[in-house]
Amino acid sequence: MTLHILATGTSRGIGEAIAARLRTEDVRIVGHASRPGDSGTIAADLSDPSAPGTLWNAALDRLDGRIDVLVNNAGIFEAAPIEQPEESWSHAWARTMQINLTASAQLSRLAVLHFRSLGGGRIVNVASRAAYRGDSPLHWHYAASKAGMIGMTKTIARGYAAEGIYAFAVCPGFTLTGMAEDYLASRGGDGLLADIPLGRVAMPEEVAETVKFLALDAPPSMTGAVIDINGASYVR
Ligand SMILES: NC(=O)c1ccc[n+]([C@@H]2O[C@H](COP(=O)([O-])OP(=O)(O)OC[C@H]3O[C@@H](n4cnc5c(N)ncnc54)[C@H](OP(=O)(O)O)[C@@H]3O)[C@@H](O)[C@H]2O)c1
């Protein structure tokens, strides 16, 4: 059976690599971005709480009413210095939580309900090394959103495994995308590379290969697993 996949944040970076890798398999995949772009991609700004529902329904339409796999990849990494006024700090916190965590939860909820009617399905969440290690003082919210994603993944895995619904997460360290390039430039690239025993940041294709494995091949007993992709920069 050709699997039907919805993947978020596929316009660039890791998501673009995930979509490209999955397209080499026997699947039908619908991609997504925040803004209208290529015609095969659904636009939905996930900072809007109504967007996940609209996106899900649009993806179902494109995929003839069946989605077997959801990949929650879209995310932001925006700085929120604690020195800024309470109002703007709280706004930044809420925005990161909505896009990185709540939108993923909203999509996962719709996926679990849909998978029940199908008799099973898979969710793959793109979290971060920050979920376990924490992040910079500018990114409390980012680390918290990704830690929340891990808690959500494990809860879904435990709650619905008996119904054939499996959930996995990947935790990339620095990965060579626009997001990481900005961070490396702002924090001093050489020092950060010294912290990675592999001697380089991860490539989007390495994350994509892992996501493809979890989405299509991972044995059911792996449900709830969280896979690190960080060049041994954080081993746990
Ligand atoms: N790169 C890293 O070092 C790294 C490390 C650990 C985890 N991650 C995680 O990996 C995922 C992908 O990161 P990346 O580095 O590939 O990021 P990226 O290059 O900045 O791409 C982000 C993707 O998310 C989408 N997106 C951003 N804001 C959105 C919004 N408001 N609504 C809907 N979609 C939105 C973007 O769509 P547009 O093109 O329309 O903006 C784009 O497709 C993220 O969840 C990130 O937290 C990345």
Side-chain angles (χ1 to χ4, degrees), residues 9 11-12 14 34-35 44-46 73 127 142 146 172-173 175 177:
S11 50
R12 51 200 167 88
I14 291 171
S34 70
R35 295 171 292 255
D45 182 347
L46 296 176
N73 165 77
Y142 181 80
K146 295 301 186 177
T175 307
T177 68

Side-chain angles (χ1 to χ4, degrees), residues 21-226:
R21 179 63 186 88
L22 287 170
R23 282 195 185 99
T24 69
E25 301 291 322
D26 178 23
V27 303
R28 284 176 66 192
I29 176 166
V30 166
H32 152 265
S34 70
R35 295 171 292 255
D38 92 67
S39 56
T41 293
I42 299 171
D45 182 347
L46 296 176
S47 66
D48 173 354
S50 70
T54 310
L55 168 60
W56 180 263
N57 288 332
L60 268 180
D61 273 357
R62 296 259 186 109
L63 292 168
D64 303 321
R66 195 183 93 232
I67 296 175
D68 304 293
V69 178
L70 167 67
V71 180
N72 282 309
N73 165 77
I76 56 168
F77 182 75
E78 295 175 350
I82 57 171
E83 295 79 11
Q84 72 185 321
E86 158 79 25
E87 196 182 345
S88 54
W89 187 84
S90 294
H91 176 76
W93 179 279
R95 176 175 154 78
T96 287
M97 283 296 168
Q98 178 60 40
I99 294 170
N100 288 9
L101 179 58
T102 309
S104 299
Q106 291 173 284
L107 286 168
S108 296
R109 173 179 166 271
L110 293 168
V112 168
L113 291 170
H114 178 68
F115 294 163
R116 278 182 157 167
S117 71
L118 295 181
R122 291 181 179 224
I123 297 171
V124 183
N125 289 321
V126 180
S128 170
R129 178 182 67 175
Y132 290 95
R133 201 192 67 153
D135 212 299
S136 86
L138 301 175
H139 296 99
W140 298 14
H141 53 353
Y142 181 80
S145 72
K146 295 301 186 177
M149 204 175 208
I150 297 299
M152 178 177 80
T153 305
K154 292 181 176 181
T155 302
I156 294 169
R158 289 176 55 78
Y160 308 99
E163 298 175 71
I165 298 169
Y166 310 133
F168 310 91
V170 295
C171 282
F174 284 118
T175 307
L176 199 60
T177 68
M179 190 180 272
E181 279 166 16
D182 292 349
Y183 191 90
L184 284 167
S186 68
R187 306 256 308 166
D190 291 347
L192 286 171
L193 287 181
D195 196 31
I196 306 175
L198 188 64
R200 62 169 176 81
V201 299
M203 302 307 288
E205 292 73 22
E206 294 179 289
V207 181
E209 190 62 34
T210 311
V211 170
K212 175 258 161 192
F213 169 71
L214 295 173
L216 305 185
D217 305 323
S221 290
M222 273 187 73
T223 192
V226 181

